[in-house]
Amino acid sequence: MSTVSKPWTYTLHLPQDPRAPGIARATLRTVLAAHELSSLTPTAELLAAELLANAHLHTSGPTRSASSAGSRAG
C-alpha cells in the first residue's frame, strides 16, 4: 500500500554573515532527517552551500533559504 505525505515548506532567514551557509546546512540536515530523506543530504548540502555562499558574496542584505517538497508516494 502506498502512502502520500502532505507537501511541506520551510523558510530560513539568514543574516549577511559568513556563518550562514553552515547554519543552512545544519538546518537542511535536520529537515531532511525529519522527513526520512537523509539519503539526499550530501547533494542537498552541497547545492545549498554553493547557493548561499554566492548569495553572501554577491548581495548586501539578508538571505532567505526555502525548502519544499510536493506529495510523494512511498
Side-chain angles (χ1 to χ4, degrees):
M1 180 176 187
S2 140
T3 59
V4 177
S5 63
K6 292 182 181 180
W8 48 270
T9 301
Y10 293 87
T11 302
L12 179 63
H13 295 270
L14 298 164
Q16 176 71 5
D17 187 294
R19 296 170 292 183
I23 294 166
R25 284 192 310 271
T27 303
L28 185 56
R29 279 192 300 272
T30 302
V31 169
L32 291 173
H35 291 280
E36 299 177 359
L37 296 170
S38 294
S39 64
L40 301 176
T41 299
T43 302
E45 279 187 330
L46 180 64
L47 293 171
E50 185 66 26
L51 291 171
L52 291 165
N54 285 337
H56 173 72
L57 288 173
H58 301 291
T59 64
S60 59
T63 303
R64 182 177 70 113
S65 175
S67 299
S68 62
S71 299
R72 65 181 177 100

